[in-house]
Each structure stands twice: as C-alpha cells, then as structure tokens.
Amino acid sequence: MQKSVIITAGGLGKRMGSDLPKQFLVLGGKPVLVHTLELFHKYDPTIEIILTLPNEWRGYWETVIDKYYCRVPHIVINGGEERYHSIQNALKRCSGTVIAVHDGVRPFVSFETLDRCFSALNQ
C-alpha cells in the first residue's frame, strides 16, 4: 500500500500572540514543522508527504529548510482560505492508495498510533 500524508500548516498562531506562525517556532533546536516532516519520513521513508502552506509563507519555508538542512522529500501546495480548502488542494496531488491528514504542529504522534491509523484504512 502506497501511503500519502497531507500535513496542514496554514495556521497563523494568532492566539499565541507571536508574529511567527507556530509551525515555524523553534522547539528542541528546529522548527516544529521540521520535526513533523522528519517524524513521517522516519516512520516510512517511502511515504508521499504533501505540505500545505499559505502562499505568503512559502518563501519563508524555503529559508527554514535550508537553515535547518531539512532534506525530507515533500511537495508544497498552496493552502486555501480554510483548512478543508487546503486539504482539497492537496488531495489533487496525492498519489497514495491511502491518504492521511495530519496537523503540522503535532510532531509527537507515536509510530504505534500511525500504525493503527494506517491499518484501520485497510479494514
């Protein structure tokens, strides 16, 4: 089964009171979003990762992946006005036979949980 994961990272973190969206805040030496991409790549190096970002933050993301040497293969898609628009945009690019959706600021999901989720898709 070929897996795809859509990682949504369109939030602006307004409630946090930061000028920088929370997906770009540094945690443990690198941005939260880098941790999330690395998690999925470590879980399954063949997984197709589709990342949705607001268009205005795509340039910033390029500087992040260079600065933190993030070499996880992924495709960046423009996010939409709402989360479901972002997912809709990403679904058009997914090639997996199963597709998961994950929040980019949730980098601590266990491999056991991912196994259970992907296994459930086969039932």
Side-chain angles (χ1 to χ4, degrees), residues 17-95:
S18 172
D19 291 334
L20 194 62
K22 59 187 172 184
Q23 61 267 32
F24 301 124
L25 295 176
V26 175
L27 175 70
K30 51 187 139 176
V32 172
L33 190 53
V34 172
H35 285 289
T36 303
L37 265 66
E38 289 175 347
L39 168 89
F40 278 94
H41 186 67
K42 286 177 189 170
Y43 171 70
D44 180 351
T46 68
I47 198 167
E48 176 184 53
I49 299 173
I50 310 288
L51 174 62
T52 67
L53 285 172
N55 191 44
E56 61 269 22
W57 286 97
R58 287 182 72 165
Y60 185 80
W61 175 243
E62 292 299 320
T63 66
V64 166
I65 60 175
D66 285 342
K67 180 178 179 178
Y68 294 93
Y69 201 69
C70 177
R71 297 298 176 248
V72 174
H74 64 284
I75 299 167
V76 180
I77 300 293
N78 285 337
E81 187 174 326
E82 298 292 335
R83 185 171 195 235
Y84 72 91
H85 292 116
S86 299
I87 294 167
Q88 187 176 44
N89 292 345
L91 282 169
K92 295 173 187 172
R93 292 293 304 272
C94 289
S95 62

Coordinates of all heavy atoms in Angstrom, one line a residue, residues 17-95:
G17 N -0.1 34.9 20.1 CA 0.4 36.3 20.3 C 1.8 36.4 19.7 O 2.6 37.3 20.1
S18 N 2.2 35.6 18.7 CA 3.5 35.6 18.1 C 3.4 36.2 16.7 O 2.4 35.9 16.0 CB 4.1 34.2 18.1 OG 5.3 34.2 17.3
D19 N 4.4 36.9 16.2 CA 4.4 37.3 14.8 C 4.7 36.1 13.9 O 4.4 36.2 12.7 CB 5.5 38.4 14.6 CG 5.1 39.7 15.3 OD1 3.9 39.9 15.5 OD2 6.0 40.5 15.7
L20 N 5.4 35.1 14.4 CA 5.7 34.0 13.7 C 4.7 32.8 13.9 O 4.4 32.5 15.0 CB 7.1 33.5 14.1 CG 7.9 32.5 13.2 CD1 8.2 33.1 11.9 CD2 9.2 32.1 13.9
P21 N 4.2 32.3 12.8 CA 3.2 31.2 13.0 C 3.8 30.0 13.8 O 5.0 29.7 13.7 CB 2.9 30.7 11.6 CG 3.1 32.0 10.7 CD 4.3 32.6 11.4
K22 N 3.0 29.3 14.6 CA 3.6 28.3 15.5 C 4.3 27.2 14.8 O 5.2 26.6 15.4 CB 2.5 27.8 16.4 CG 1.3 27.2 15.7 CD 0.2 26.9 16.8 CE -1.1 26.4 16.1 NZ -2.2 26.2 17.0
Q23 N 3.9 26.9 13.5 CA 4.6 25.8 12.9 C 6.1 26.1 12.6 O 6.9 25.2 12.4 CB 3.9 25.4 11.5 CG 3.8 26.5 10.5 CD 2.5 27.3 10.6 OE1 2.0 27.4 11.7 NE2 2.0 27.8 9.5
F24 N 6.5 27.4 12.7 CA 7.9 27.8 12.5 C 8.6 28.1 13.8 O 9.8 28.4 13.7 CB 7.9 29.0 11.6 CG 7.3 28.8 10.2 CD1 6.3 29.7 9.8 CD2 7.7 27.8 9.4 CE1 5.7 29.5 8.5 CE2 7.1 27.6 8.1 CZ 6.1 28.4 7.7
L25 N 7.9 28.0 14.9 CA 8.6 28.3 16.2 C 9.6 27.1 16.4 O 9.3 26.0 16.2 CB 7.6 28.4 17.3 CG 6.7 29.6 17.2 CD1 5.6 29.5 18.4 CD2 7.4 30.9 17.3
V26 N 10.8 27.5 17.0 CA 11.8 26.5 17.2 C 11.6 25.8 18.5 O 11.3 26.4 19.6 CB 13.2 27.2 17.2 CG1 14.3 26.2 17.6 CG2 13.5 27.8 15.8
L27 N 11.6 24.5 18.4 CA 11.4 23.6 19.6 C 12.5 22.5 19.5 O 12.7 21.8 18.5 CB 10.1 22.9 19.5 CG 9.7 21.9 20.6 CD1 9.5 22.6 21.9 CD2 8.4 21.2 20.2
G28 N 13.3 22.4 20.6 CA 14.4 21.4 20.6 C 15.4 21.6 19.4 O 15.9 20.7 18.8
G29 N 15.7 22.9 19.1 CA 16.7 23.2 18.1 C 16.2 23.3 16.6 O 17.0 23.6 15.8
K30 N 15.0 23.0 16.4 CA 14.5 23.2 15.0 C 13.0 23.5 15.0 O 12.3 23.2 16.0 CB 14.8 22.0 14.1 CG 14.4 20.6 14.6 CD 14.9 19.5 13.7 CE 15.5 18.4 14.5 NZ 15.9 17.3 13.8
P31 N 12.5 24.0 13.9 CA 11.1 24.4 13.9 C 10.1 23.2 14.0 O 10.5 22.1 13.6 CB 10.9 25.0 12.5 CG 12.3 25.6 12.2 CD 13.2 24.5 12.8
V32 N 9.0 23.4 14.6 CA 8.0 22.3 14.9 C 7.7 21.6 13.6 O 7.6 20.4 13.5 CB 6.7 22.9 15.5 CG1 5.6 21.9 15.6 CG2 7.0 23.5 16.9
L33 N 7.5 22.3 12.5 CA 7.1 21.7 11.2 C 8.2 20.8 10.7 O 7.9 19.7 10.1 CB 6.8 22.8 10.2 CG 6.1 22.3 8.9 CD1 4.9 21.4 9.1 CD2 5.8 23.5 8.0
V34 N 9.5 21.1 10.9 CA 10.6 20.2 10.5 C 10.5 18.9 11.3 O 10.6 17.8 10.7 CB 11.9 20.9 10.7 CG1 13.1 19.9 10.5 CG2 12.1 22.1 9.8
H35 N 10.2 19.0 12.6 CA 10.1 17.8 13.4 C 8.9 16.9 12.8 O 9.1 15.7 12.8 CB 9.7 18.2 14.9 CG 10.8 18.7 15.7 ND1 11.8 17.9 16.1 CD2 11.0 19.9 16.2 CE1 12.7 18.6 16.8 NE2 12.2 19.9 16.9
T36 N 7.8 17.5 12.4 CA 6.7 16.8 11.9 C 7.1 16.1 10.6 O 6.7 14.9 10.5 CB 5.5 17.7 11.7 OG1 5.2 18.3 13.0 CG2 4.3 16.9 11.3
L37 N 7.7 16.8 9.7 CA 8.1 16.1 8.4 C 9.1 15.0 8.7 O 9.0 13.9 8.1 CB 8.8 17.1 7.5 CG 7.8 17.7 6.5 CD1 6.8 18.6 7.1 CD2 8.6 18.5 5.4
E38 N 10.0 15.2 9.6 CA 11.0 14.1 9.9 C 10.3 12.9 10.6 O 10.7 11.8 10.3 CB 12.1 14.7 10.8 CG 13.0 15.7 10.1 CD 14.0 16.3 11.0 OE1 13.9 16.3 12.3 OE2 15.0 16.9 10.5
L39 N 9.3 13.2 11.4 CA 8.6 12.1 12.0 C 8.0 11.1 11.0 O 8.2 9.9 11.0 CB 7.5 12.6 12.9 CG 6.5 11.6 13.4 CD1 6.9 10.9 14.7 CD2 5.1 12.2 13.5
F40 N 7.3 11.7 10.0 CA 6.7 10.9 9.0 C 7.7 10.2 8.1 O 7.5 9.0 7.7 CB 5.6 11.7 8.2 CG 4.3 11.8 8.8 CD1 4.0 12.9 9.7 CD2 3.4 10.8 8.7 CE1 2.8 13.0 10.3 CE2 2.2 10.9 9.4 CZ 1.9 12.0 10.2
H41 N 8.8 10.9 7.8 CA 9.8 10.3 7.0 C 10.5 9.1 7.7 O 10.8 8.1 7.1 CB 10.8 11.3 6.6 CG 11.9 10.8 5.6 ND1 11.6 10.5 4.3 CD2 13.2 10.6 5.8 CE1 12.7 10.1 3.7 NE2 13.7 10.2 4.6
K42 N 10.7 9.3 9.0 CA 11.3 8.2 9.8 C 10.3 7.0 9.9 O 10.7 5.8 9.9 CB 11.7 8.7 11.2 CG 12.9 9.5 11.2 CD 13.2 10.0 12.6 CE 14.3 11.1 12.5 NZ 14.5 11.7 13.8
Y43 N 9.0 7.3 10.0 CA 8.0 6.3 10.1 C 8.0 5.4 8.8 O 8.0 4.2 8.9 CB 6.6 6.9 10.4 CG 5.5 5.9 10.3 CD1 5.3 4.9 11.2 CD2 4.6 6.0 9.2 CE1 4.3 4.0 11.1 CE2 3.6 5.1 9.1 CZ 3.4 4.1 10.0 OH 2.4 3.2 9.9
D44 N 8.0 6.1 7.7 CA 8.0 5.4 6.4 C 8.7 6.3 5.4 O 8.2 7.2 4.9 CB 6.6 5.1 6.0 CG 6.5 4.4 4.6 OD1 7.5 4.2 4.0 OD2 5.4 4.0 4.3
P45 N 10.0 5.9 5.1 CA 10.7 6.7 4.1 C 10.1 6.8 2.7 O 10.5 7.6 1.9 CB 12.1 6.1 4.0 CG 12.2 5.3 5.3 CD 10.8 4.9 5.7
T46 N 9.2 5.9 2.4 CA 8.5 5.9 1.1 C 7.2 6.7 1.1 O 6.6 6.9 0.0 CB 8.2 4.5 0.6 OG1 7.2 3.9 1.4 CG2 9.5 3.6 0.6
I47 N 6.8 7.2 2.2 CA 5.6 8.0 2.3 C 5.6 9.2 1.5 O 6.7 9.9 1.4 CB 5.1 8.2 3.7 CG1 3.7 8.6 3.8 CG2 6.0 9.3 4.3 CD1 3.1 8.6 5.3
E48 N 4.6 9.5 0.7 CA 4.5 10.8 0.0 C 4.0 11.9 0.9 O 2.9 11.7 1.5 CB 3.5 10.6 -1.2 CG 3.3 11.9 -1.9 CD 2.3 11.7 -3.0 OE1 1.2 11.3 -2.7 OE2 2.6 12.1 -4.2
I49 N 4.8 12.9 1.1 CA 4.4 14.0 2.0 C 4.0 15.2 1.2 O 4.8 15.7 0.4 CB 5.6 14.3 3.0 CG1 5.9 13.1 3.8 CG2 5.2 15.6 3.8 CD1 7.2 13.3 4.7
I50 N 2.7 15.6 1.4 CA 2.2 16.8 0.8 C 2.0 17.8 1.9 O 1.2 17.6 2.8 CB 0.9 16.6 0.1 CG1 0.9 15.3 -0.8 CG2 0.4 17.8 -0.6 CD1 1.7 15.5 -2.1
L51 N 2.7 19.0 1.8 CA 2.6 20.0 2.8 C 1.8 21.2 2.3 O 2.1 21.7 1.2 CB 4.0 20.5 3.1 CG 4.2 21.6 4.1 CD1 3.6 21.3 5.5 CD2 5.7 22.0 4.2
T52 N 0.8 21.6 3.0 CA 0.0 22.8 2.6 C 0.5 24.0 3.5 O 0.6 23.9 4.7 CB -1.5 22.6 2.8 OG1 -1.8 22.5 4.2 CG2 -2.0 21.4 2.0
L53 N 0.8 25.1 2.8 CA 1.2 26.3 3.5 C 0.5 27.5 2.8 O 0.3 27.5 1.6 CB 2.8 26.5 3.3 CG 3.7 25.7 4.1 CD1 5.1 25.9 3.6 CD2 3.6 26.0 5.5
P54 N 0.3 28.5 3.6 CA -0.2 29.8 3.0 C 0.8 30.3 2.0 O 2.1 30.2 2.3 CB -0.3 30.7 4.2 CG -0.4 29.9 5.4 CD 0.4 28.7 5.1
N55 N 0.4 30.8 0.9 CA 1.3 31.2 -0.2 C 2.3 32.2 0.4 O 3.5 32.2 0.0 CB 0.5 31.8 -1.3 CG 1.4 32.1 -2.6 OD1 2.2 31.2 -2.9 ND2 1.2 33.2 -3.1
E56 N 1.9 33.1 1.2 CA 2.8 34.2 1.8 C 3.9 33.6 2.7 O 4.8 34.4 3.0 CB 2.0 35.3 2.5 CG 1.2 34.8 3.7 CD -0.2 34.4 3.4 OE1 -0.5 34.1 2.2 OE2 -1.0 34.4 4.3
W57 N 3.8 32.4 3.1 CA 4.8 31.8 3.9 C 5.7 30.8 3.2 O 6.6 30.2 3.8 CB 4.2 31.2 5.2 CG 3.7 32.2 6.1 CD1 2.5 32.7 6.3 CD2 4.6 32.9 7.1 NE1 2.4 33.7 7.2 CE2 3.7 33.8 7.8 CE3 5.9 32.9 7.4 CZ2 4.2 34.7 8.7 CZ3 6.4 33.7 8.4 CH2 5.5 34.6 9.1
R58 N 5.5 30.6 1.9 CA 6.3 29.6 1.2 C 7.7 30.0 1.1 O 8.6 29.2 1.2 CB 5.7 29.3 -0.2 CG 4.4 28.5 -0.1 CD 3.8 28.2 -1.4 NE 4.6 27.2 -2.1 CZ 4.2 26.5 -3.2 NH1 3.0 26.7 -3.7 NH2 5.0 25.7 -3.8
G59 N 8.0 31.2 0.8 CA 9.4 31.7 0.8 C 10.1 31.5 2.1 O 11.3 31.1 2.1
Y60 N 9.4 31.8 3.2 CA 10.0 31.6 4.5 C 10.3 30.1 4.7 O 11.4 29.8 5.3 CB 9.0 32.1 5.6 CG 9.6 32.1 7.0 CD1 10.5 33.1 7.4 CD2 9.4 31.0 7.8 CE1 11.1 33.0 8.6 CE2 9.9 31.0 9.1 CZ 10.8 31.9 9.5 OH 11.4 31.9 10.7
W61 N 9.4 29.3 4.3 CA 9.6 27.8 4.4 C 10.9 27.4 3.7 O 11.7 26.6 4.2 CB 8.5 27.0 3.9 CG 8.7 25.5 3.9 CD1 8.7 24.7 2.8 CD2 8.9 24.7 5.1 NE1 8.9 23.4 3.2 CE2 9.1 23.4 4.6 CE3 9.0 24.9 6.4 CZ2 9.3 22.3 5.4 CZ3 9.3 23.9 7.3 CH2 9.4 22.6 6.8
E62 N 11.2 28.0 2.6 CA 12.4 27.7 1.8 C 13.6 28.0 2.6 O 14.6 27.3 2.6 CB 12.4 28.4 0.5 CG 11.4 27.8 -0.5 CD 11.5 26.4 -0.9 OE1 12.7 25.9 -1.0 OE2 10.5 25.7 -1.0
T63 N 13.6 29.2 3.3 CA 14.7 29.5 4.2 C 14.9 28.6 5.4 O 16.0 28.3 5.8 CB 14.6 31.0 4.7 OG1 13.5 31.1 5.5 CG2 14.5 32.0 3.5
V64 N 13.7 28.1 5.9 CA 13.8 27.2 7.0 C 14.4 25.9 6.6 O 15.3 25.4 7.3 CB 12.3 27.0 7.6 CG1 12.3 25.7 8.5 CG2 11.8 28.2 8.3
I65 N 14.0 25.3 5.5 CA 14.6 24.0 5.1 C 16.0 24.1 4.8 O 16.8 23.2 5.0 CB 13.8 23.3 4.0 CG1 13.7 24.1 2.7 CG2 12.4 23.0 4.5 CD1 13.0 23.4 1.6
D66 N 16.5 25.3 4.3 CA 17.9 25.5 4.1 C 18.7 25.6 5.4 O 19.7 25.0 5.6 CB 18.2 26.7 3.2 CG 17.8 26.4 1.7 OD1 17.7 25.2 1.3 OD2 17.6 27.4 1.0
K67 N 18.1 26.5 6.2 CA 18.8 26.8 7.5 C 19.0 25.5 8.4 O 20.0 25.3 9.0 CB 18.1 27.9 8.3 CG 18.7 28.2 9.6 CD 18.0 29.4 10.3 CE 18.6 29.7 11.6 NZ 18.0 30.8 12.3
Y68 N 17.9 24.7 8.4 CA 17.9 23.5 9.3 C 18.2 22.2 8.6 O 18.0 21.2 9.1 CB 16.6 23.4 10.0 CG 16.4 24.6 11.0 CD1 15.7 25.8 10.6 CD2 16.9 24.5 12.3 CE1 15.6 26.8 11.5 CE2 16.8 25.6 13.2 CZ 16.2 26.7 12.8 OH 16.1 27.8 13.6
Y69 N 18.7 22.4 7.3 CA 19.1 21.3 6.5 C 18.0 20.1 6.5 O 18.3 19.0 6.7 CB 20.4 20.7 6.9 CG 21.1 19.9 5.9 CD1 21.6 20.6 4.7 CD2 21.3 18.6 6.0 CE1 22.2 19.8 3.7 CE2 21.9 17.8 5.0 CZ 22.3 18.5 3.8 OH 22.9 17.7 2.8
C70 N 16.8 20.5 6.2 CA 15.7 19.6 6.2 C 15.7 19.0 4.7 O 15.4 19.7 3.8 CB 14.4 20.2 6.5 SG 12.9 19.1 6.3
R71 N 16.0 17.7 4.6 CA 16.1 17.1 3.3 C 15.0 16.0 3.1 O 15.1 15.2 2.3 CB 17.4 16.5 3.1 CG 18.6 17.5 3.1 CD 18.4 18.5 1.9 NE 19.4 19.5 1.9 CZ 19.1 20.8 2.2 NH1 17.9 21.2 2.5 NH2 20.1 21.7 2.1
V72 N 13.9 16.1 3.9 CA 12.8 15.2 3.8 C 12.1 15.5 2.5 O 11.6 16.7 2.3 CB 11.8 15.4 5.0 CG1 10.6 14.5 4.8 CG2 12.5 15.0 6.3
P73 N 11.9 14.6 1.6 CA 11.2 14.8 0.3 C 9.8 15.2 0.6 O 9.1 14.5 1.4 CB 11.3 13.5 -0.4 CG 12.3 12.7 0.3 CD 12.4 13.2 1.7
H74 N 9.3 16.3 0.0 CA 7.9 16.7 0.2 C 7.5 17.6 -1.0 O 8.4 18.2 -1.6 CB 7.7 17.4 1.5 CG 8.4 18.6 1.8 ND1 9.8 18.7 2.0 CD2 8.0 19.9 1.7 CE1 10.2 19.9 2.2 NE2 9.1 20.7 2.0
I75 N 6.2 17.7 -1.1 CA 5.6 18.6 -2.1 C 4.9 19.7 -1.4 O 4.1 19.4 -0.5 CB 4.7 17.9 -3.1 CG1 5.4 16.8 -3.8 CG2 4.0 18.8 -4.0 CD1 4.5 15.8 -4.5
V76 N 5.1 21.0 -1.7 CA 4.4 22.1 -1.1 C 3.3 22.6 -2.0 O 3.5 22.8 -3.2 CB 5.4 23.3 -0.8 CG1 4.6 24.4 -0.1 CG2 6.6 22.8 0.1
I77 N 2.1 22.7 -1.4 CA 0.9 23.1 -2.1 C 0.4 24.3 -1.4 O 0.4 24.4 -0.1 CB -0.2 22.0 -2.0 CG1 0.3 20.7 -2.6 CG2 -1.5 22.4 -2.6 CD1 0.4 20.8 -4.1
N78 N -0.2 25.3 -2.1 CA -0.8 26.5 -1.5 C -2.0 26.0 -0.7 O -2.8 25.3 -1.2 CB -1.2 27.5 -2.6 CG 0.0 28.2 -3.2 OD1 1.0 28.3 -2.6 ND2 -0.2 28.7 -4.4
G79 N -2.1 26.6 0.5 CA -3.2 26.3 1.3 C -4.4 27.2 0.8 O -4.2 28.0 -0.1
G80 N -5.6 26.9 1.3 CA -6.8 27.6 1.0 C -7.2 28.5 2.1 O -6.6 28.7 3.1
E81 N -8.3 29.1 1.9 CA -8.9 30.1 2.8 C -9.2 29.4 4.2 O -9.0 29.9 5.2 CB -10.2 30.7 2.3 CG -10.7 31.8 3.2 CD -11.9 32.5 2.5 OE1 -11.9 32.7 1.3 OE2 -12.8 32.9 3.3
E82 N -9.7 28.2 4.1 CA -10.0 27.3 5.3 C -9.2 26.0 5.2 O -8.8 25.7 4.1 CB -11.5 27.1 5.4 CG -12.4 28.3 5.5 CD -12.2 29.0 6.9 OE1 -11.8 28.3 7.8 OE2 -12.4 30.2 6.9
R83 N -9.1 25.3 6.3 CA -8.4 24.1 6.3 C -8.9 23.1 5.2 O -8.1 22.4 4.5 CB -8.4 23.4 7.7 CG -7.6 22.2 7.8 CD -7.5 21.7 9.2 NE -6.4 20.8 9.4 CZ -6.5 19.6 9.9 NH1 -7.7 19.2 10.3 NH2 -5.5 18.8 10.0
Y84 N -10.2 23.0 5.1 CA -10.7 22.0 4.1 C -10.4 22.4 2.7 O -10.2 21.5 1.9 CB -12.3 21.8 4.3 CG -13.2 22.9 3.9 CD1 -13.7 22.9 2.6 CD2 -13.5 23.9 4.8 CE1 -14.5 24.0 2.2 CE2 -14.4 24.9 4.4 CZ -14.9 24.9 3.1 OH -15.7 25.9 2.7
H85 N -10.2 23.7 2.4 CA -9.8 24.1 1.1 C -8.3 23.6 0.9 O -8.0 23.2 -0.2 CB -9.8 25.6 0.9 CG -11.2 26.1 0.9 ND1 -11.7 27.0 1.9 CD2 -12.2 26.0 0.0 CE1 -12.9 27.3 1.6 NE2 -13.3 26.7 0.5
S86 N -7.5 23.7 1.9 CA -6.1 23.3 1.8 C -6.0 21.8 1.5 O -5.3 21.3 0.7 CB -5.4 23.6 3.1 OG -5.3 25.0 3.4
I87 N -6.8 21.0 2.3 CA -6.9 19.6 2.1 C -7.4 19.2 0.7 O -6.8 18.4 0.0 CB -7.7 18.9 3.2 CG1 -7.0 19.1 4.5 CG2 -7.9 17.4 2.9 CD1 -7.9 18.7 5.7
Q88 N -8.4 19.9 0.2 CA -8.9 19.7 -1.1 C -7.8 20.0 -2.2 O -7.7 19.2 -3.1 CB -10.1 20.6 -1.4 CG -10.8 20.4 -2.6 CD -12.1 21.3 -2.7 OE1 -12.0 22.5 -2.4 NE2 -13.2 20.7 -3.2
N89 N -7.0 21.0 -2.0 CA -5.9 21.3 -2.9 C -4.9 20.2 -2.9 O -4.4 19.8 -4.0 CB -5.2 22.7 -2.6 CG -6.1 23.9 -2.8 OD1 -7.1 23.8 -3.4 ND2 -5.7 25.0 -2.2
A90 N -4.6 19.7 -1.7 CA -3.5 18.7 -1.6 C -4.0 17.3 -2.2 O -3.2 16.6 -2.7 CB -3.1 18.5 -0.2
L91 N -5.3 17.0 -2.0 CA -5.8 15.7 -2.5 C -5.6 15.6 -4.0 O -5.4 14.5 -4.5 CB -7.3 15.6 -2.2 CG -7.6 15.2 -0.7 CD1 -9.1 15.4 -0.5 CD2 -7.2 13.8 -0.4
K92 N -5.6 16.7 -4.7 CA -5.4 16.7 -6.2 C -4.0 16.2 -6.5 O -3.8 15.7 -7.6 CB -5.7 18.0 -6.8 CG -7.1 18.5 -6.6 CD -7.3 19.9 -7.1 CE -8.7 20.4 -6.8 NZ -8.8 21.8 -7.0
R93 N -3.0 16.3 -5.6 CA -1.6 15.9 -5.9 C -1.2 14.6 -5.3 O -0.2 14.1 -5.6 CB -0.7 17.0 -5.3 CG -0.8 18.3 -6.0 CD -0.2 18.2 -7.5 NE 1.1 17.7 -7.6 CZ 2.2 18.5 -7.5 NH1 2.1 19.8 -7.3 NH2 3.4 17.9 -7.7
C94 N -2.1 14.0 -4.4 CA -1.7 12.8 -3.7 C -1.8 11.6 -4.7 O -2.7 11.5 -5.6 CB -2.7 12.5 -2.6 SG -2.5 13.5 -1.2
S95 N -0.8 10.7 -4.6 CA -0.8 9.5 -5.4 C -0.9 8.2 -4.6 O -1.0 7.1 -5.2 CB 0.5 9.5 -6.3 OG 1.6 9.4 -5.4

